[in-house]
Amino acid sequence: MRIPCPYCGVRGLDEFAYLGDATLIRPDPAAPGAEAAFHDYVYLRDNPAGLHRELWQHASGCQSWLVVTRDTRTHAIGRVEVARDVAAARGSGAE
Amino acid sequence: MSTDRYSIFSVLREALRGHTGWKPAWREPEPKAEYDIVIVGGGGHGLATAHYLARVHGITNVAVVEKGWIGGGNVGRNTTIVRSNYLLPGNTPFYEHSMKLWEELEQDLNYNAMVSQRGVVNLFHSDGQRDAYARRGNAMRLHGVDAELLDVPELKRILPMLDFDNARFPIKGALRQRRGGTVRHDAVAWGYARAADGRGVDIIQNCEVTGFRIEAGRILGVETTRGFIGAKKVGLACAGNSSRVAAMAGLRLPIESHALQAFVSEGIKPFIDTVCTFGAGHFYISQSDKGGLVFGGDIDGYNSYAQRGNLPTIEDVAEGGMALMPAIGRVKLLRHWGGIMDMSMDGSPIIDRTPVAGLYLNAGWCYGGFKATPASGWCFAHLLATDAPHEVAAAYRLDRFATGRLIDEKGVGAQPNLH
């Protein structure tokens, strides 16, 4: 598996560290029902067989956090985005 | 006359009549319209559940539905190690129950599963790790499980090929469980299947579950590629596919699926006669009766349903092996393969009811499911038959993540790719 880092180009898997599902959003601890929301956020996963948006860090490279869309059935890498851009788009309501 | 029971006499009788009396070890029945219990997943755990439902609870109107063929999943993809060297109260009695069932398995099933109690030796490499293993051994002994702390001279006697004076990871001793060892993994699936079939359980292969029929919060049966099969109760034992199957019933599980690779070398002369684990990395090894070195290491560490892994993990496993026993450096790798692990969020399994009435879950075995096969089947059968958890599996609740009663043997928190 090789991941095309937007800054460094295509690099081997051993340069990257994996965090997991990138679609999880940390709940607001002050909101009602926060306890249940945090349980879901910390423990529950969709765990799809197919396309999965996930967080990787180019830990042994430029150290950027990336949102990689990957097929969990084939390990084929699709779109790679910079996590900061994804978060900014989400913050602006674009996503 | 056909031969039903395997024994030295049946072998001799069949030898004298040209092996014409053997019959298939299990039938290939068409699914009935309805069963008392349908088990989804014909791996080790599902088949063991069916066997103990029939033998212990007398419930034989049972089907095991399997999307592929039995023994084609993780039960045929592991490194065959069995042990009960667990530390935490929720785990120790369960895995010891499993160990005891392994010890009587072949007589129970009338099937040679090659149960070999050759011992499991967990090496330690520092004073701190010695203390941790001594504590683990003491916890085991308090639960009536055998454990002994080995010093270096004793280790040199039983494992002379280890690199004791490795500059980075010197070997200081080991924790040994003599009753641990290996079991022929395929034979476990086949033995349970044959025994369950013999008591009337239908094993239905090439039958994939495509949905559940649920009305007013109660399960009515499963939709499959071979039509609807009604069921009063349904038990899920789907290992790496647990999340996918449970999602069809509207459940979201505390599980991620990850790839774990395993390896076997070319056959060599007798080299290592116990199971040995490296304490400074993740590497475990034993030798099969054919002579191949069977070994493995960590999961690859990212979500996967691919049943194959990547090269960095292979390199990591090989480095662990070379740090531990440099003598294997020129042995050629014969095969390697991957399985899909249902990694739970605390590293411990789930055997419990679900919010859907009549639907039960057996999942979250991480990369340690094989050793648990008999007790998993025993306890899941108990749950399905009595609707109450078995006493040694009472801690394996689905809601423990919400209530804070986690069973985190490794102590790393909610991170499935670290367990």
Side-chain angles (χ1 to χ4, degrees):
Chain A
M1 218 157 82
R2 299 201 301 166
I3 298 175
C5 173
Y7 300 114
C8 311
V10 177
R11 311 296 294 184
L13 178 64
D14 50 352
E15 291 187 12
F16 294 86
Y18 183 73
L19 184 63
D21 192 336
T23 62
L24 300 166
I25 307 292
R26 185 182 171 82
D28 176 4
E35 191 176 333
F38 265 95
H39 164 263
D40 294 0
Y41 169 70
V42 174
Y43 296 113
L44 301 189
R45 297 289 182 270
D46 288 338
N47 193 21
L51 294 183
H52 189 228
R53 288 191 88 196
E54 53 199 24
L55 282 163
W56 290 81
Q57 187 192 19
H58 194 187
S60 302
C62 64
Q63 302 192 6
S64 301
W65 280 96
L66 308 173
V67 175
V68 177
T69 304
R70 187 177 57 95
D71 192 323
T72 58
R73 294 165 302 186
T74 62
H75 298 165
I77 307 277
R79 199 166 161 205
V80 179
E81 304 153 273
V82 179
R84 189 187 306 157
D85 296 346
V86 175
R90 188 185 289 140
S92 69
E95 188 172 312
Chain B
M1 192 185 95
S2 67
T3 298
D4 286 322
R5 190 171 171 77
Y6 297 162
S7 69
I8 183 69
F9 303 108
S10 66
V11 170
L12 290 173
R13 185 170 69 235
E14 291 304 326
L16 292 173
R17 60 178 185 180
H19 296 286
T20 51
W22 300 117
K23 64 176 193 177
W26 54 86
R27 298 163 293 130
E28 290 195 29
E30 287 298 312
K32 289 194 270 185
E34 193 184 31
Y35 293 90
D36 289 340
I37 295 175
V38 168
I39 296 160
V40 183
H45 291 219
L47 294 166
T49 304
H51 168 66
Y52 294 121
L53 274 172
R55 180 172 80 75
V56 179
H57 302 280
I59 301 172
T60 57
N61 187 22
V62 173
V64 179
V65 297
E66 163 57 44
K67 73 175 161 58
W69 64 93
I70 64 165
N74 291 348
V75 72
R77 291 170 177 270
N78 54 75
T79 47
T80 77
I81 297 166
V82 300
R83 57 184 172 85
S84 57
N85 52 357
Y86 280 73
L87 174 67
L88 296 180
N91 281 331
T92 319
F94 174 84
Y95 286 99
E96 178 57 13
H97 186 57
S98 209
M99 199 67 237
K100 286 180 174 149
L101 291 171
W102 284 122
E103 288 172 329
E104 66 181 50
L105 182 81
E106 292 166 317
Q107 288 69 36
D108 180 19
L109 301 182
N110 177 230
Y111 203 88
N112 180 9
M114 295 164 68
V115 175
S116 166
Q117 292 182 289
R118 59 183 69 184
V120 173
V121 176
N122 302 122
L123 302 174
F124 51 78
H125 308 266
S126 66
D127 292 344
Q129 204 171 20
R130 177 191 283 116
D131 290 346
Y133 274 147
R135 181 186 173 209
R136 178 179 293 266
N138 286 335
M140 290 162 64
R141 292 170 72 123
L142 286 170
H143 279 96
V145 185
D146 69 305
E148 55 194 305
L149 216 55
L150 303 183
D151 57 14
V152 170
E154 174 66 3
L155 257 184
K156 281 188 170 164
R157 194 182 65 73
I158 59 174
L159 290 165
M161 80 295 284
L162 299 181
D163 185 9
F164 284 89
D165 301 320
N166 184 298
R168 181 71 180 83
F169 309 115
I171 293 166
K172 302 281 193 182
L175 180 68
R176 171 161 69 177
Q177 184 185 17
R178 282 181 189 260
R179 287 163 60 241
T182 61
V183 181
R184 171 78 201 282
H185 51 2
D186 301 310
V188 174
W190 301 333
Y192 273 123
R194 174 171 168 272
D197 176 272
R199 285 188 159 86
V201 171
D202 284 355
I203 295 162
I204 303 163
Q205 303 181 77
N206 299 306
C207 180
E208 183 170 356
V209 169
T210 55
F212 296 97
R213 196 172 289 177
I214 297 167
E215 275 178 24
R218 166 160 284 281
I219 196 96
L220 299 179
V222 294
E223 306 282 356
T224 78
T225 49
R226 293 173 68 173
F228 175 75
I229 303 173
K232 295 187 181 72
K233 293 177 179 175
V234 174
L236 306 183
C238 308
N241 285 300
S242 293
S243 294
R244 295 174 64 196
V245 178
M248 292 189 261
L251 305 177
R252 199 160 167 251
L253 300 182
I255 285 174
E256 282 184 6
S257 296
H258 285 252
L260 176 67
Q261 304 188 65
F263 310 85
V264 65
S265 78
E266 60 186 328
I268 57 173
K269 286 182 178 179
F271 175 68
I272 178 168
D273 63 358
T274 184
V275 178
C276 179
T277 74
F278 186 35
H282 204 162
F283 179 83
Y284 36 91
I285 187 166
S286 66
Q287 187 169 16
S288 78
D289 290 4
K290 280 195 292 187
L293 299 174
V294 182
F295 55 96
D298 266 324
I299 55 173
D300 268 43
Y302 44 82
N303 288 50
S304 175
Y305 284 89
Q307 289 190 320
R308 64 175 183 275
N310 274 286
L311 291 169
T313 305
I314 298 176
E315 189 175 6
D316 184 66
V317 170
E319 284 170 351
M322 286 302 290
L324 185 65
M325 40 181 78
I328 64 173
R330 294 179 67 187
V331 175
K332 293 191 182 85
L333 200 60
L334 187 67
R335 289 184 290 127
H336 83 280
W337 61 95
I340 302 306
M341 309 295 113
D342 35 337
M343 303 298 293
S344 71
M345 285 288 168
D346 62 355
S348 294
I350 297 156
I351 303 177
D352 203 358
R353 292 167 282 241
T354 71
V356 179
L359 182 66
Y360 301 79
L361 179 68
N362 176 327
W365 293 98
C366 301
Y367 44 70
F370 178 68
K371 75 178 89 69
T373 303
S376 167
W378 184 283
C379 295
F380 201 35
H382 186 276
L383 177 69
L384 283 160
T386 67
D387 215 35
H390 190 276
E391 59 178 0
V392 300
Y396 297 152
R397 296 178 59 122
L398 179 57
D399 69 357
R400 68 176 182 267
F401 302 94
T403 59
R405 294 183 173 84
L406 273 64
I407 313 163
D408 189 353
E409 187 84 18
K410 203 170 174 182
V412 293
Q415 268 296 69
N417 53 339
L418 296 182
H419 283 288

